[in-house]
């Protein structure tokens, strides 16, 4: 990008309450039908209009760029089990970005960069996706399971099989000499 094509700095009025170690990577003015705002990508996560907090890169299940709109599906933590979290889709949020700049690329890079392991497995009565993600500032990996719709997540057989699958997946991502 040339010197004269650079996007201006994020106006102070639009700057989210960043943490001390957080820096802005990209931003874009946005609209979602409920008013305008600014979408801000930082090294720690994504700030969306109307939210007083950032969504960590590891908490974004899906992000889709259409060429005009950015749609983000955050994760909702449903349960904490031994060694992993059970998550579900929050409602998707869509933002029209008229001058997206580097924002879509930063979102894609950061979300996919947080994923270390992902695999879809059958479980009794359904299936689920096991994922291991990097969390900024946290040693090790955070393990999650997102069950497919209709899977009986609270069933004891499902929990037992999921636990077995998570342990097996963890063994593939842990160096043998530790």
């Amino acid at each position: 990008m040339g010197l004269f094509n650079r996007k201006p700095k994020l106006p102070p009025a639009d700057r989210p309450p960043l943490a001390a170690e957080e820096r802005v990577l990209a931003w874009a003015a946005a609209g979602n039908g409920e008013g305008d705002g600014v979408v801000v990508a930082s090294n720690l996560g994504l700030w969306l209009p109307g939210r007083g907090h950032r969504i960590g890169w590891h908490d974004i299940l899906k992000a889709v760029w259409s060429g005009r709109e950015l749609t983000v599906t955050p994760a909702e933590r449903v349960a904490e089990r031994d060694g992993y979290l059970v998550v579900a889709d929050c409602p998707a949020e869509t933002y029209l970005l008229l001058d997206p700049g580097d924002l879509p690329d930063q979102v894609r890079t950061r979300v996919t960069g947080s994923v270390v392991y992902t695999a879809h497995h059958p479980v009794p009565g359904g299936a689920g996706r096991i994922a291991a993600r990097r969390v900024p500032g946290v040693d090790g990996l955070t393990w999650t399971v997102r069950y497919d719709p209709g899977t009986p997540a609270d069933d004891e057989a499902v929990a037992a099989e999921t636990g077995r699958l998570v342990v097996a997946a963890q063994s593939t991502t842990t160096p043998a000499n530790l």
Side-chain angles (χ1 to χ4, degrees):
M1 184 179 272
L3 178 64
F4 297 105
N5 294 330
R6 284 194 89 141
K7 190 175 211 171
K9 286 186 121 184
L10 180 63
D14 292 328
R15 193 172 181 82
L18 302 174
E21 69 280 3
E22 190 171 11
R23 66 187 187 286
V24 173
L25 302 173
W27 65 277
N32 66 356
E34 298 174 16
D36 296 328
V38 177
V39 177
V40 178
S42 79
N43 57 312
L44 299 180
L46 192 63
W47 293 86
L48 297 173
R51 289 179 176 253
H53 65 281
R54 120 180 54 79
I55 302 170
W57 297 117
H58 61 285
D59 286 326
I60 297 175
L61 293 175
K62 187 176 179 182
V64 177
W65 174 240
S66 73
R68 287 181 42 97
E69 294 179 327
L70 177 66
T71 301
V72 178
T73 305
E76 174 185 11
R77 294 177 185 200
V78 175
E80 188 169 341
R81 295 191 180 149
D82 189 26
Y84 66 97
L85 300 169
V86 177
V87 298
D89 294 13
C90 285
E93 299 177 35
T94 300
Y95 299 91
L96 176 65
L97 306 179
L98 297 178
D99 183 16
D102 294 337
L103 184 71
D105 185 55
Q106 282 292 331
V107 171
R108 180 182 45 79
T109 299
R110 298 290 170 156
V111 170
T112 58
S114 74
V115 178
V116 175
Y117 173 94
T118 182
H120 193 259
H121 296 280
V123 295
R129 177 158 305 279
I130 296 172
R133 309 218 29 204
R134 292 182 191 93
V135 179
V138 175
D139 286 338
L141 301 173
T142 297
W143 289 85
T144 61
V145 173
R146 179 184 164 273
Y147 292 111
D148 291 355
T151 302
D154 294 332
D155 184 84
E156 285 184 31
V158 170
E161 179 63 6
T162 302
R164 187 191 70 71
L165 291 167
V166 169
V167 168
Q170 289 170 334
S171 71
T172 67
T173 61
T174 303
N177 60 352
L178 289 182

